Structure formats: structure tokens, C-alpha cells
Amino acid sequence: MREYLLTLCITAAVTYLLTGPVRKFAIVAGAMPQIRARDVHREPTPRLGGIAMFFGLCAGLLVADHLRNLNAVFSDSNEPRALLSGAALIWLIGVLDDKFEIDALIKLGGQMIAAGVMVMQGLTILWLPIPGVGLVALTQWQGTLLTVALVVITINAVNFVDGLDGLAAGMVCIASAAFFLYAYRIWYSYGIEAAAPATLFASILMGMCLGFLPHNMHPARIFMGDSGSMLIGLVLAAGAISITGQIDPDAMNLFSGSERNTVHQTVPVYIPLLLPLTIIAVPAADLVLAIVRRTWRGQSPFAADRGHLHHRLLEVGHSHSRAVLIMYFWSALIAFGALAFSVNSASMWIVLGIAALSAVGLVLLLLPRFTPRAPRWAEHLVPPRYRRRRRVALAAEAQAAMASVGYEEPTSHEKAAQEREEGVREHRSPVTTGVSGVNGATAIGPRARFVEGRKAESSR
């Protein structure tokens, strides 16, 4: 465990320290697209954050290769080299896309090639434990197709959810934490060395996300771009592939005792079929809904829009930070709920706890739809915005202040004219920016004033 934590810390430190210089490089290189209609940020922000994340990945693998216990992962398995080869290819494609905006079909082809490179070097699904059937061996073509499909789905699911500051990095960090605990339990409790590569991949992925998050939290100073989102999606898929179809269930000695006990004991064998889906459940749901929504409208599945889950949360009335935290909550609930069920599938308390937390999550989702008011006896215990007297007093003070300066409420015609003017300003193209003043780049030049991009407004 100490060596895994050391690898995590080194990866996070390298990613964090390199993100600042990478940000300046992205500004100089012009990797700052103009504000698009679907964007929620208000100023052009540099991308290419995936460069720092990739070098963090390389540093983590290099450190692990020189540690006494983790060195066996590199000597006994070719999976780390397969991961590095596929990651380098997908990262290069992402960097080119961040700079030159390459076609979506070209990116899809690059994702499939990167998955194929990993398959050629041994990182593939060999068999599947099917409930009620047993261990099913896959042919070479079946394993290849299943591996490529899992990689492509995971990469695009993470890429689709990367729409708010800190959202993709935080959700993948939560998913990788749950996956690390699961893989470490398989490796340590059952003594199965085949789970060591997946445990290493999960620890490195956590370090990449934790090192990048301080620069990417709202308001973000840099975006990871496709070079980062596709990279962490591939690493997440590689860990799932490594542990899903390469661990022999017979090595766990679970098939003993009564039939009922065997069913409960073999849950850890079948969880790999579900855990890769649960850790990307929210991004995968967003991906499926986006494809259905766009094809229903007669658009291309790759056509960008503002209908993603995080956009919906903003339209409901959640703030940027609250929308991100809600997505974090649901990701953690699904991932750690599946993890807890794999540890003790017979416990009813786990099911009840997941149900209770799901109810809490639904309340949080609907919170902007109503404005709670605390009773008078508890007003001093809640924030001022929930106090009746405070809100009434503030409204009276605001009316008095407007009356003192001779402010008059605009007529309906004036309001309509203002709305038309705001609509024209909203659809106006943003100002093309140079190097200085981007997102508060004090090291480059003074902060410039840009026309605000289109932003999801609150319904309140």
C-alpha cells in the first residue's frame, strides 16, 4: 500500500507542477478556442491540460518500475507497456484536436487504433465469468472486439461529461478510487498477482486527476481538453480490462459449500462485469441520452449541443459549483455502492443505505424548484437567505434606495426593448483574443474585457 500511495503522490505532484507551465505554453500556442454556444465559461480559456496529465502518467509508471514490490508488475506483465503505448497515441490525437479541431470520425478511428495497439500487446479480455453459465473463454476476435468497444465507450463517455470546471477530473477520480479499493482487495485478500496492474493503473489515474483538479476547479484556469479527457478515459478502461477478463475465478477458491453461500461468495467474480459500467454510469447515461437526442432531431451523434446532464442542472437553477458537486455525489454513490455490494452482497443495510442516499440525491436535484423557509424560532440557525425577516428587510431597503435616487420601474415596452438588446448581444460573436489577458493571465499581460459567451441562466 505504501508503494501505491507513493506512486499516487508522485503522479499528482508532477501533474500539478507541470500544469502551470503547460497553461502558459497553451496560451502562447493559441490553444484557446473562442466561446461556443454550448460553453458555460465566460472567457477564452487555454486547453492542452492533458500534456501535464500525460507526463504525470509517465512519471508514475517510471517510479513504480523502480520500486521493489511494484517492479514485478513490469517484469511479469506487458500491460504497463501496452497502456503507455495506447495512452501516447490517444494523447497525441487529443493534442492535435485541442489545437486544430480535427474531425470527430478521425478521433473515433484514432481511439479504435489506440485500443488495438493495447490488444496487440496483451491488454485484452480473455474470458468472461457469466452468472449461471460459468467461465466463458473468448476467441481472439471476440476478445478484441469487446476490448475495443469498452475502450471507445469509456473514452467518449468521459469526453462527453467534460463540460464544467472540474467535473470530468473529479468524477474519474471518484471512480478510480472505488476501482482501486476493489482491485487492491482482489490482489491483497486473495493473493492474485494478476490484479496488481489494475491496482497500479487506478492509483496513477487518481494522481493524475488530483494533480490537475486544483487548476481546473471553478473558475478554471486551464481545461484538460480532449488530450486529457480521452487520456483518463483510456486509463480507466485499461484498468477495467486488466481485471475483468484476466483473473481466473478458480484462483479465489470460491466454489465451495452450499449453493447459496457459493452465490454470495462469487459476487466479487461477477462484479468486474458491472463495475466498469458503474464507475462510468453517469457519463455513460449522458452519452446514450446525447446520441438519442441528436439522432431524434435528425442531427449527427457527434454534433455538440447544450443538452448534457450538467447543462440541465444549470437550467434547473443550480449554480456551477453545486451542479458539479451533485454529479460528484451520484458518481460516488453508484461506484462505492457497487463496491460495498461486492464486499457483502447479503447485507440488507447496504441496500437500505444506498436507497436512503438516493433519496437525498433526488432532494438535492429538486432543491432549486422550491425555496425553503425556516420557521421563525430557527432563523438564527440558518443562512440569511432562508430568513423571512431578513429577506423582507432587504427588499424594503432596496426599494427605498431606488426611490431615493429617483429610479422608476421600466415600462413593458422598455423591458421588451432591453430583452431584444440582450438577445442581440448574446448571439454576437465573441472578440478574437490574442495572447495577453486570457482568463486573468497576470504573467502575460493585463486582463482584457471580453464579450460574455452564452451561459445557461437560472430559472429562479
Side-chain angles (χ1 to χ4, degrees):
M1 178 62 76
R2 289 194 300 269
E3 294 188 355
Y4 284 121
L5 292 179
L6 177 61
T7 303
L8 186 154
C9 293
I10 294 296
T11 304
V14 172
T15 304
Y16 176 80
L17 295 176
L18 288 180
T19 302
V22 167
R23 178 180 181 273
K24 295 182 180 180
F25 169 76
I27 294 175
V28 174
M32 297 179 302
Q34 296 182 359
I35 304 296
R36 298 164 296 186
R38 68 179 188 271
D39 292 333
V40 298
H41 58 282
R42 306 174 67 178
E43 294 183 1
T45 305
R47 297 196 287 188
L48 292 177
I51 295 179
M53 304 178 81
F54 177 75
F55 283 104
L57 169 67
C58 295
L61 292 175
L62 182 63
V63 169
D65 190 21
H66 289 80
L67 296 178
R68 183 179 59 183
N69 294 325
L70 294 184
N71 178 261
V73 177
F74 296 83
S75 59
D76 299 340
S77 173
N78 198 43
E79 293 181 8
R81 285 177 284 274
L83 170 66
L84 186 59
S85 301
L89 180 58
I90 203 70
W91 170 75
L92 180 60
I93 295 173
V95 170
L96 294 177
D97 181 67
D98 289 341
K99 173 59 180 176
F100 301 107
E101 296 284 346
I102 62 178
D103 187 72
L105 292 178
I106 297 179
K107 288 194 295 183
L108 180 62
Q111 295 167 7
M112 299 175 66
I113 293 175
V117 169
M118 293 194 301
V119 170
M120 292 176 60
Q121 300 188 55
L123 187 56
T124 182
I125 298 177
L126 302 177
W127 51 68
L128 288 177
I130 306 299
V133 177
L135 199 64
V136 177
L138 301 178
T139 64
Q140 182 179 2
W141 280 107
Q142 290 173 340
T144 300
L145 292 176
L146 188 59
T147 302
V148 172
L150 182 60
V151 171
V152 172
I153 291 174
T154 307
I155 288 176
N156 286 281
V158 175
N159 192 18
F160 271 46
V161 83
D162 184 25
L164 296 179
D165 298 348
L167 182 58
M171 292 181 64
V172 172
C173 184
I174 293 171
S176 58
F179 194 81
F180 172 81
L181 294 176
Y182 171 80
Y184 183 80
R185 177 172 176 263
I186 297 295
W187 173 73
Y188 183 78
S189 299
Y190 296 99
I192 299 177
E193 293 296 331
T199 312
L200 176 62
F201 297 164
S203 64
I204 291 177
L205 183 57
M206 278 193 292
M208 295 164 60
C209 296
L210 289 175
F212 185 72
L213 267 176
H215 300 273
N216 191 233
M217 294 302 292
H218 183 69
R221 292 173 53 82
I222 185 173
F223 295 150
M224 67 173 65
D226 282 2
S227 59
S229 61
M230 294 198 299
L231 175 64
I232 60 178
L234 182 134
V235 177
L236 185 62
I241 292 168
S242 176
I243 203 171
T244 296
Q246 302 204 18
I247 293 181
D248 187 0
D250 294 332
M252 298 184 184
N253 297 321
L254 301 177
F255 303 99
S256 61
S258 64
E259 182 178 355
R260 180 176 181 180
N261 292 334
T262 301
V263 171
H264 290 307
Q265 290 174 350
T266 53
V267 169
V269 181
Y270 302 135
I271 283 295
L273 295 174
L274 304 177
L275 195 59
L277 301 178
T278 59
I279 58 183
I280 61 167
V282 176
D286 193 15
L287 173 64
V288 173
L289 292 175
I291 293 176
V292 172
R293 180 178 63 251
R294 293 166 185 174
T295 54
W296 183 265
R297 296 174 180 174
Q299 299 175 342
S300 169
F302 303 101
D305 58 16
R306 290 177 59 89
H308 293 289
L309 295 178
H310 47 273
H311 291 138
R312 299 291 186 183
L313 290 175
L314 295 177
E315 292 174 358
V316 167
H318 292 286
S319 64
H320 190 293
S321 300
R322 188 189 294 173
V324 172
L325 292 177
I326 289 175
M327 299 284 281
Y328 285 177
F329 174 83
W330 282 104
S331 298
L333 177 61
I334 296 174
F336 285 96
L339 177 65
F341 190 75
S342 70
V343 174
N344 188 1
S345 60
S347 176
M348 183 59 63
W349 290 104
I350 294 177
V351 178
L352 294 177
I354 294 175
L357 291 175
S358 300
V360 172
L362 292 176
V363 172
L364 293 176
L365 283 175
L366 301 176
L367 191 61
R369 292 301 186 186
F370 62 90
T371 305
R373 293 289 179 269
R376 296 186 183 276
W377 58 268
E379 286 187 350
H380 64 285
L381 301 176
V382 298
R385 63 178 177 272
Y386 298 121
R387 301 175 187 172
R388 301 171 187 266
R389 298 176 183 175
R390 179 64 175 167
R391 294 178 64 87
V392 172
L394 290 176
E397 291 177 1
Q399 291 180 358
M402 288 188 296
S404 63
V405 298
Y407 175 80
E408 296 182 359
E409 186 73 17
T411 63
S412 59
H413 297 287
E414 293 174 344
K415 289 182 179 180
Q418 291 177 1
E419 291 176 357
R420 287 195 299 269
E421 183 179 355
E422 291 176 357
V424 172
R425 188 186 302 115
E426 190 176 45
H427 291 85
R428 194 175 297 164
S429 299
V431 178
T432 303
T433 59
V435 173
S436 64
V438 176
N439 204 23
T442 55
I444 304 298
R447 187 183 183 95
R449 296 184 178 273
F450 302 101
V451 178
E452 295 185 358
R454 189 173 183 180
K455 182 180 179 183
E457 298 292 339
S458 172
S459 62
R460 291 183 291 180

